[in-house]
């Protein structure tokens, strides 16, 4: 318990100065440590159903997610690798195919199972086909360029980009997509270009780039299919903010996503993900009234929540103050969340802030609370609870004091009058010193007593 | 010498309006050999002259004698004391640089006979009397008093000088350079630290740091180091320098005070192991700068601060728990510190030995209900109003000054237009900037 509390404690003593930054710093630090942690975290008993899970996605993200799961969850590893391999066979990414195949065989060997032979003919054929197609597309593009037809050049770049993406050359694809920029004629083209670039930058982990392209897309006028496009952009921004640890902004992005999105963006994320990410981020950062107005009264998001009944239950239990139920659900979800490609690094951070909020809300209506009862409600022990509460009090999130002898948490009876007296006296004396010092400094300037470099003549500047 | 004496007496007899002004060139022209000599019949001129009536001449002779290589410490220090107690302020105002020399010579003499304490009294008295009836003029002797007190470790002796706020600065009449100002507040801060009056110390260092300038002075760099440590002791964190600090000082402080800033950063985290590592890392540097003691003090202050923090969090807490949460060796040490803090009025608590050393914390008994409080409040308000009025007066004077008006007329891009807000602007950086810009513009 101490280990977790101490770093928290640090962060809470900083916020008065630069809250936003401190929060980000904290998130960053946690990120790093957590990323290290998750690489070692192994989920042994996932409740995930691979088939239905992977059916939600297409393209790269599907393969990425499967590989991620395979690396972090031994029971699912073999199946996940197999599905990934099958997927890769439909693309032209032969390098990746061989890498994944190698991994699968290593794993099978390790468990004493028969290995699967590499489909060498496919690899060779694909290699040839890939090269031929690249050349063909490049040649075509050259022709278009010499003809100076804008639209054709754009299409040429786009096709080349699609092809390179398909064969796993991300930076090449990114380059091709960015080149279409000069040949965009309609706002749809611009938006397509932006989304393509943003998506690829995200895969390349270049989040600053993503943001600038999203902003560009958002400011484009007259976008066709506006709802879907803005939803896509919202999702992208949500993921960027989530990755940066800015949970509140991420929550807003996800909550603003329209349900029309449906499966239109399954090359990045599924509607289920929107529900989970949005729900958890909202729970971690919103207060009660915000939860009501932005989550429960949000028709679109309700539809998302229908897809993930667990998250819906979680939210409503929290809202109805059934904290132990709520914490149970969170505990159940935890393993699967650790297997999520976007969320895994932030799970602990989000869980901590949800728990903190639950504690604060639990105490909110009372004057005094028996710590034993409270510990029961949060399924923890009294000393641990005391520690948690102490942190919350130091960070001024609960106005209360702990009676450690009788194990009771009592609200602090703040004497406003005394406070005001103390504050105004301090303020007054502060004002006086400030003014006195200011006058003195003015006198110094007037008397020309100014710190100067020694070699300089006193008279040459006055 | 006899000649000189005759002239001195003659001036006195003449009974003109400002007799001493005529004497000044004569005294200035006299060589030190003449000033150091005795009369023909072997009498000491210091015995013949009266320090009250002939302050100016007495001062010149005294300084010359003290500067001489074969000066007799004991006798001259007595003379210096006599002079300090009796001189006439109007006379010495004519020769401020002689007063500076007087201070320096006295300090050196005391140092020579290895009794730094013997210079404290004469310089202190001279400084107070010279500084005017309100004692609000900065003089070149100020820093010397403080330095002597520091050397002699008689911090209290500096208080009569230090406790009065300086409000007037007149370099011509008091022979001042900017170093005098910086040193005054630097030494002043050190003296307050010695007396554990950290709030005043912090103010002193702050003034030293924020003095206007083009470049950073070494004094300011030193002051910054101490400023950080003192503000750690006092507030538990190091306040960033205000925005009106000269930018050169900013840079210099960052560069030369890096170890201190790191330490302060660790300190703010309240993490004992981090503080300890930072301390070990820069311990030698602290030692060299002579700040090790302050660093240690800041570390003990941390324990107290943490205990104080506990009073905000707990109503009751056992001694062993206190020891655990502030990382003390055990309940016994916790009890000792808590007891001490109760005695010092830093926490309000009772220790119940029956229930195994349970500490119950209480709120501060001060409820601000006494008449005394109202009186205090009223006093503070009046003072604040006074100050406000002074600022307004100064602002008006500035608004009417020739420099300012000519600047407005020449329309330096309307920079001066907002000078009227000086009284709203508590920090005054604008107005100083303005004035300063005006000065440079005029050059």
């Amino acid at each position: 318990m101490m280990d977790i509390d101490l770093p928290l404690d640090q962060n809470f003593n900083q916020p008065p100065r630069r809250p936003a930054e401190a929060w980000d710093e904290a998130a960053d630090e946690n990120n790093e440590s957590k990323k290290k942690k998750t690489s070692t975290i192994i989920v042994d008993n996932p409740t995930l159903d691979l088939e239905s899970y992977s059916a939600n996605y297409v393209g790269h993200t599907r393969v990425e997610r499967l590989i991620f799961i395979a690396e972090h969850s031994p029971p699912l590893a073999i199946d996940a690798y197999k599905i990934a391999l099958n997927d890769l066979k439909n693309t032209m990414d032969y390098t990746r195919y061989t890498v994944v195949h190698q991994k699968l065989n290593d794993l099978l060997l390790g468990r004493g199972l028969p290995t699967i032979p590499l489909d060498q003919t496919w690899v060779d054929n694909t290699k040839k086909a890939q090269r031929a197609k690249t050349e063909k597309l490049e040649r075509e593009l050259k022709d278009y360029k010499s003809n100076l037809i804008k639209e054709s050049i754009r299409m040429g770049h786009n096709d080349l980009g699609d092809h390179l993406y398909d064969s796993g050359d991300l930076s090449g694809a990114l380059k091709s997509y960015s080149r279409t920029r000069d040949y965009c004629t309609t706002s749809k083209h611009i938006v397509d270009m932006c989304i393509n670039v943003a998506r690829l930058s995200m895969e390349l982990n270049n989040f600053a780039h993503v943001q600038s392209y999203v902003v560009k897309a958002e400011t484009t006028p007259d976008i066709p299919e506006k709802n879907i496009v803005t939803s896509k952009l919202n999702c992208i921004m949500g993921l960027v903010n989530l990755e940066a640890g800015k949970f509140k902004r991420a929550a807003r992005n996800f909550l603003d996503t329209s349900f029309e999105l449906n499966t239109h963006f399954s090359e990045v994320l599924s509607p289920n993900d929107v529900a989970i990410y949005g729900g958890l981020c909202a729970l971690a950062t919103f207060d009660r009234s915000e939860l009501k107005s932005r989550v429960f009264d949000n028709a679109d998001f309700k539809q998302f929540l229908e897809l993930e009944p667990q998250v819906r239950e979680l939210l409503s239990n929290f809202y109805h103050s059934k904290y132990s139920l709520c914490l149970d659900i969170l505990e159940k979800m935890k393993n699967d969340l650790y297997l999520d490609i976007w969320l895994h690094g932030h799970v602990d951070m989000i869980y901590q802030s949800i728990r903190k909020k639950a504690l604060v809300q639990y105490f909110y209506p009372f004057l005094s609370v028996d710590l034993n009862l409270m510990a029961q409600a949060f399924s923890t022990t009294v000393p641990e609870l005391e520690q948690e509460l102490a942190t919350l009090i130091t960070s001024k999130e609960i106005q209360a004091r702990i009676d450690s002898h009788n194990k009771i948490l009592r609200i602090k009876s703040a004497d406003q009058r005394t406070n005001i007296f103390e504050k105004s006296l301090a303020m007054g004396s502060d004002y006086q010193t400030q003014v006195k010092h200011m006058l003195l400094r003015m006198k110094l300037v007037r008397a020309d007593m100014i710190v100067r470099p020694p070699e300089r003549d006193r008279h040459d500047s006055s | 010498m006899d000649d000189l004496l005759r002239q001195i007496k003659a001036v006195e007899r003449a009974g003109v309006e400002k007799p001493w002004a005529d004497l000044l060139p004569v005294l200035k022209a006299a060589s030190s050999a003449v000033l150091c000599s005795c009369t023909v019949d072997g009498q000491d001129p210091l015995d013949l002259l009266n320090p009250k009536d002939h302050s100016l001449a007495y001062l010149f002779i005294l300084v010359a004698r003290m500067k001489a290589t074969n000066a007799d410490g004991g006798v001259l220090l007595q003379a210096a004391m006599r002079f300090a107690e009796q001189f006439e302020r109007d006379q010495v105002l004519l020769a401020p640089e002689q007063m500076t020399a007087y201070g320096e010579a006295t300090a050196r003499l005391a140092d020579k006979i290895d009794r730094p304490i013997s210079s404290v009294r004469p310089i202190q008295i001279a400084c107070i009397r010279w500084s005017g009836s309100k004692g609000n003029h900065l003089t070149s002797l100020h820093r010397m008093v403080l330095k002597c007190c520091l050397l002699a470790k008689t911090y209290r002796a500096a208080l009569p000088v230090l406790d009065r706020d300086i409000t007037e600065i007149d370099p011509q009449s008091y022979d001042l350079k900017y170093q005098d100002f910086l040193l005054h507040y630097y030494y002043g801060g050190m003296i307050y630290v010695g007396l554990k009056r950290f709030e005043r110390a912090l103010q002193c260092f702050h003034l030293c740091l924020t003095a206007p300038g083009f470049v950073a002075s070494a004094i300011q760099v030193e002051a910054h180091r101490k400023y950080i440590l003192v503000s750690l002791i006092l507030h538990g964190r190091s306040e960033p320098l205000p925005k009106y600090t000269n930018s050169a000082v900013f840079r210099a402080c960052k560069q030369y005070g890096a170890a201190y800033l790191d330490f302060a950063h660790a300190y703010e985290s309240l993490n004992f192991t981090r503080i300890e590592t930072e301390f070990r890392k820069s311990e030698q540097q602290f030692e060299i700068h002579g700040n090790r003691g302050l660093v240690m003090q800041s570390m003990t202050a941390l324990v107290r601060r943490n205990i104080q923090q506990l009073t905000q969090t707990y109503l009751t807490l056992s001694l062993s728990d206190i020891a655990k949460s502030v990382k003390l060796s055990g309940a016994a040490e916790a009890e000792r510190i808590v007891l001490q803090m109760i005695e010092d009025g830093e926490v309000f608590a009772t220790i119940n030995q029956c229930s195994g050393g349970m500490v119950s914390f209480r709120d501060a008994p001060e409820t601000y209900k006494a008449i005394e409080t109202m009186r205090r409040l009223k006093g503070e308000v009046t003072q604040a109003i006074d100050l406000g009025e002074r600022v307004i007066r100064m602002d008006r004077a500035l608004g009417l000054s020739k420099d300012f008006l000519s600047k407005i007329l020449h329309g330096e891009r309307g920079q001066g237009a907002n000078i009227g807000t000086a009284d709203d602007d508590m920090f005054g950086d604008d107005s100083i900037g303005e004035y300063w810009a005006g000065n440079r513009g005029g050059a």
Side-chain angles (χ1 to χ4, degrees):
Chain A
M1 203 61 219
M2 276 313 279
D3 294 355
I4 300 168
D5 276 358
L6 270 179
L8 264 182
D9 212 318
Q10 281 169 30
N11 298 332
F12 287 132
N13 282 300
Q14 286 168 0
R17 270 194 300 146
R18 290 170 303 182
E21 229 167 278
W23 175 260
D24 286 357
E25 269 172 26
D28 282 352
E29 274 172 25
N30 273 300
N31 253 347
E32 270 176 31
S33 60
K34 233 149 266 170
K35 264 179 192 149
K36 272 177 227 145
K37 232 201 262 171
T38 38
S39 59
T40 55
I41 275 186
I42 299 294
V43 181
D44 284 326
N45 46 348
T47 53
L48 205 71
D49 179 28
L50 266 189
E51 288 291 328
S52 59
Y53 177 76
S54 57
N56 283 330
Y57 307 99
V58 296
H60 281 203
T61 190
R62 179 169 148 125
V63 177
E64 291 278 354
R65 280 170 196 262
L66 284 168
I67 294 176
F68 186 84
I69 290 173
E71 279 167 359
H72 290 91
S73 175
L76 294 176
I78 295 177
D79 288 338
Y81 276 135
K82 276 184 181 159
I83 302 176
L85 269 186
N86 263 336
D87 274 15
L88 284 169
K89 236 175 169 178
N90 294 330
T91 68
M92 287 193 157
D93 196 352
Y94 55 88
T95 33
R96 188 124 209 216
Y97 175 79
T98 40
V99 171
V100 173
H101 183 264
Q102 186 61 41
K103 277 188 185 162
L104 174 60
N105 274 350
D106 285 350
L107 190 71
L108 287 172
L109 267 181
R111 296 197 187 171
L113 295 169
T115 54
I116 297 169
L118 183 70
D119 190 345
Q120 194 59 44
T121 42
W122 179 83
V123 173
D124 291 341
N125 288 340
T126 324
K127 209 181 262 183
K128 264 180 231 151
Q130 197 268 343
R131 208 166 297 155
K133 197 171 177 192
T134 315
E135 274 163 23
K136 182 184 145 239
L137 287 171
E138 274 170 357
R139 208 169 43 242
E140 278 177 16
L141 183 61
K142 210 176 267 174
D143 289 347
Y144 295 145
K145 273 192 178 161
S146 57
N147 289 339
L148 286 176
I149 306 170
K150 259 189 152 184
E151 180 55 17
S152 308
I153 299 175
R154 192 187 73 84
M155 294 289 283
H157 275 304
N158 245 352
D159 289 345
L160 185 60
D162 287 345
H163 170 62
L164 288 177
Y165 180 72
D166 192 38
S167 40
D169 180 2
L170 292 180
S171 48
L174 180 63
K175 231 176 265 169
S176 295
Y177 284 136
S178 329
R179 282 199 189 121
T180 62
R181 187 179 175 157
D182 300 335
Y183 307 102
C184 291
T185 41
T186 67
S187 48
K188 184 177 181 330
H189 294 163
I190 298 178
V191 170
D192 281 351
M193 182 271 296
C194 286
I195 290 181
N196 278 335
V197 172
R199 200 163 42 107
L200 273 171
S201 304
M202 228 159 33
E203 272 191 51
L204 290 167
N205 276 332
N206 182 354
F207 292 100
H209 211 172
V210 178
Q211 215 153 352
S212 58
Y213 274 88
V214 170
V215 172
K216 195 173 159 60
E218 274 170 351
T219 48
T220 313
D222 305 328
I223 311 170
E225 295 177 311
K226 192 155 186 204
N227 269 339
I228 292 177
V229 171
T230 43
S231 296
K232 279 185 184 182
L233 294 176
N234 267 327
C235 287
I236 296 178
M237 272 321 283
L239 290 177
V240 172
N241 283 328
L242 179 66
E243 190 60 28
K246 296 170 187 156
F247 301 127
K248 189 149 194 174
R249 281 195 217 163
R252 288 211 184 112
N253 288 128
F254 288 122
L255 291 178
D256 287 345
T257 307
S258 145
F259 194 65
E260 278 177 57
L261 177 76
N262 219 335
T263 53
H264 282 287
F265 210 32
S266 43
E267 66 261 35
V268 174
L269 81 181
S270 68
N272 301 50
D273 289 341
V274 175
I276 296 175
Y277 299 162
L280 284 179
C281 288
L283 206 52
T285 51
F286 284 1
D287 63 30
R288 247 177 108 81
S289 61
E290 266 179 312
L291 268 182
K292 171 126 181 66
S293 65
R294 283 176 176 265
V295 181
F296 294 111
D297 296 348
N298 184 334
D300 272 319
F301 199 68
K302 231 177 213 165
Q303 285 171 288
F304 279 115
L305 281 179
E306 291 302 322
L307 298 169
E308 283 289 330
Q310 257 190 331
V311 179
R312 194 190 55 201
E313 292 240 324
L314 177 67
L315 283 166
S316 70
N317 276 334
F318 188 88
Y319 189 70
H320 294 113
S321 310
K322 292 173 192 154
Y323 300 112
S324 66
L325 273 178
C326 185
L327 293 173
D328 281 350
I329 299 177
L330 280 176
E331 209 47 49
K332 265 186 227 150
M333 290 171 69
K334 203 165 184 175
N335 276 338
D336 288 354
L337 298 182
Y338 273 133
L339 289 180
D340 188 280
I341 194 166
W342 290 104
L343 214 52
H344 68 97
H346 304 288
V347 174
D348 291 339
M349 189 78 188
I350 292 179
Y351 270 41
Q352 266 173 26
S353 38
I354 294 179
R355 196 181 164 81
K356 228 166 50 190
K357 276 188 52 195
L359 286 171
V360 174
Q361 274 197 24
Y362 182 91
F363 180 64
Y364 188 70
F366 298 111
L367 270 176
S368 63
V369 171
D370 187 340
L371 287 184
N372 292 310
L373 287 177
M374 194 165 175
Q376 262 171 32
F378 283 89
S379 43
T380 164
T381 63
V382 174
E384 274 178 28
L385 183 68
E386 230 181 274
Q387 273 296 338
E388 273 182 275
L389 289 173
T391 342
L392 286 175
I393 297 171
T394 359
S395 59
K396 299 219 161 56
E397 283 176 64
I398 296 184
Q399 296 294 328
R401 285 162 83 179
I402 302 168
D403 188 343
S404 160
H405 184 50
N406 302 319
K407 300 295 172 207
I408 289 175
L409 181 69
R410 282 180 206 284
I411 200 158
K412 193 190 276 176
S413 50
D415 186 352
Q416 300 294 358
R417 188 170 174 278
T418 315
N419 271 351
I420 282 292
F421 266 105
E422 269 165 18
K423 255 191 204 158
S424 43
L425 279 174
M427 211 182 202
S429 64
D430 193 47
Y431 171 76
Q432 287 189 21
T433 18
Q434 294 268 20
V435 172
K436 274 183 198 159
H437 288 192
M438 179 201 83
L439 288 172
L440 196 56
R441 278 197 301 276
M442 289 195 53
K443 286 268 162 61
L444 277 180
V445 176
R446 270 202 177 167
D448 201 25
M449 287 227 315
I450 287 167
V451 185
R452 301 167 192 281
E455 66 278 357
R456 219 155 127 186
D457 189 347
R458 282 201 68 171
H459 295 286
D460 71 4
S461 77
S462 54
Chain B
M1 191 68 218
D2 296 80
D3 253 9
L4 195 65
L5 279 180
R6 221 169 294 122
Q7 267 177 321
I8 295 167
K9 302 251 162 145
V11 166
E12 190 195 15
R13 248 176 258 122
V16 259
E17 190 80 341
K18 274 189 184 165
W20 307 108
D22 301 335
L23 190 61
L24 194 59
V26 181
L27 284 168
K28 269 193 179 157
S31 69
S32 58
V34 173
L35 288 172
C36 285
S37 60
C38 293
T39 50
V40 196
D41 44 1
Q43 273 183 302
D44 188 344
L46 287 184
D47 291 336
L48 293 174
L49 291 172
N50 172 343
K52 182 171 188 305
D53 298 334
H54 312 109
S55 303
L56 197 59
Y58 198 92
L59 176 63
F60 270 86
I61 295 170
L62 184 64
V63 169
R65 290 271 292 274
M66 286 199 288
K67 273 186 181 165
T69 40
N70 58 349
D72 175 0
V75 176
L76 285 174
L77 280 176
Q78 269 174 20
M81 187 67 199
R82 215 164 36 241
F83 171 75
E85 279 170 344
Q86 298 181 18
F87 73 77
E88 197 174 90
R89 182 160 176 260
D90 289 344
Q91 285 188 43
V92 298
L93 274 178
L94 292 170
E97 52 291 334
Q98 282 298 313
M99 282 303 274
T100 316
Y102 162 83
E104 275 164 5
T106 314
R108 210 177 36 244
L109 265 187
D111 202 33
K112 217 156 107 188
I113 60 168
D114 254 346
R115 287 181 56 208
I117 199 165
S118 57
S119 66
V120 173
R121 286 292 288 168
I123 304 183
Q124 183 217 50
I125 293 173
C127 171
I128 294 174
R129 297 195 54 223
W130 189 22
S131 168
S133 54
K134 281 199 228 144
N136 56 356
H137 280 276
L138 183 69
T139 72
S140 57
L141 286 183
H142 271 85
R143 67 173 163 86
M144 291 183 213
V145 182
L146 304 185
K147 192 176 172 191
C148 289
C149 290
L150 279 172
L151 286 176
K153 299 212 184 332
T154 53
Y155 303 137
R156 265 174 214 296
L159 289 183
V161 177
L162 209 49
D163 272 345
R164 300 186 185 187
D165 284 323
I166 301 291
T167 55
E168 299 297 328
I169 288 175
D170 182 353
Q172 269 75 45
S173 318
Y174 297 97
D175 189 32
L176 292 173
K177 286 194 287 294
Y178 71 83
Q179 288 93 337
D180 291 310
F181 180 83
L182 297 183
L183 280 175
H184 171 67
Y185 283 106
Y186 177 61
Y187 291 147
M190 283 167 75
I191 283 176
Y192 280 126
V193 167
L195 293 170
K196 298 213 186 300
R197 286 172 60 178
F198 293 114
E199 190 131 357
R200 283 289 282 190
L202 196 66
Q203 284 177 14
C204 284
F205 290 133
H206 187 263
L207 264 173
C208 179
L209 279 174
T210 52
F214 294 124
V215 290
S217 153
I219 304 165
Q220 288 174 308
V221 172
E222 287 294 334
H224 175 247
R225 292 171 178 158
K226 292 194 161 52
Y227 175 75
I228 292 179
L229 295 176
V230 172
S231 74
L232 286 185
I233 294 176
L234 199 62
H235 301 302
R237 63 201 147 93
S238 78
E239 313 268 341
L241 291 175
K243 61 184 193 298
Y244 45 80
T245 316
N246 162 14
S247 59
V249 175
F250 254 120
R251 263 175 279 131
C253 289
K254 249 199 193 134
Q255 192 183 342
Y256 296 104
Y260 294 83
L261 288 169
D262 286 348
F263 179 74
H265 211 71
Y267 194 96
E268 282 164 34
S269 74
L270 300 179
N271 183 337
F272 273 91
T273 32
R274 245 184 96 186
I275 299 175
E276 196 71 15
T277 24
E278 280 298 333
F279 174 65
R280 294 266 164 268
K281 206 179 82 191
S282 323
E283 190 176 0
Q284 269 195 319
Q285 229 180 325
F286 295 149
E287 184 86 58
I288 294 167
H289 299 157
N291 289 333
R292 191 161 182 276
L294 262 183
V295 175
M296 300 304 281
Q297 280 193 44
S298 73
M299 279 157 77
T300 40
L302 184 64
V303 173
R304 289 176 162 236
R305 177 173 307 285
N306 281 346
I307 291 182
Q308 227 163 14
Q309 186 79 57
L310 289 179
T311 66
Q312 300 298 312
T313 317
Y314 291 96
L315 277 169
T316 59
L317 194 63
S318 68
L319 282 172
S320 52
D321 278 344
I322 293 183
K324 215 172 2 173
S325 62
V326 292
K327 306 261 189 316
L328 293 173
S329 58
E333 195 184 352
E335 185 174 354
R336 190 173 55 76
I337 295 179
V338 171
L339 262 179
Q340 227 171 57
M341 290 179 71
I342 295 174
E343 273 172 17
D344 296 348
E346 285 177 46
V347 294
F348 304 96
T350 48
I351 302 178
N352 185 353
Q353 293 289 8
C354 303
S355 53
M358 194 49 85
V359 184
S360 342
F361 297 116
R362 270 178 281 129
D363 283 324
E366 172 71 285
T367 48
Y368 297 97
K369 279 176 186 150
I371 298 176
E372 193 48 48
T373 318
M374 294 317 290
R375 206 172 291 147
R376 188 168 140 214
L377 203 64
K378 208 174 155 194
E380 298 263 333
V381 170
T382 337
Q383 273 184 42
I385 292 174
D386 274 358
L387 272 175
E389 273 169 6
R390 245 169 63 199
V391 175
I392 293 173
R393 268 205 304 281
M394 218 160 146
D395 177 43
R396 292 232 174 94
L398 209 60
L400 290 171
S401 74
K402 222 171 169 185
D403 274 353
F404 177 73
L405 288 174
S406 71
K407 207 176 95 186
I408 289 286
L409 278 180
H410 295 122
E412 267 189 4
R413 292 177 43 85
Q415 268 186 18
N418 57 5
I419 199 155
T421 60
D423 54 339
D424 309 329
D425 186 357
M426 219 158 89
F427 304 101
D429 48 339
D430 273 356
S431 28
I432 287 188
E434 294 304 332
Y435 191 84
W436 189 217
N439 254 4
R440 265 188 297 185

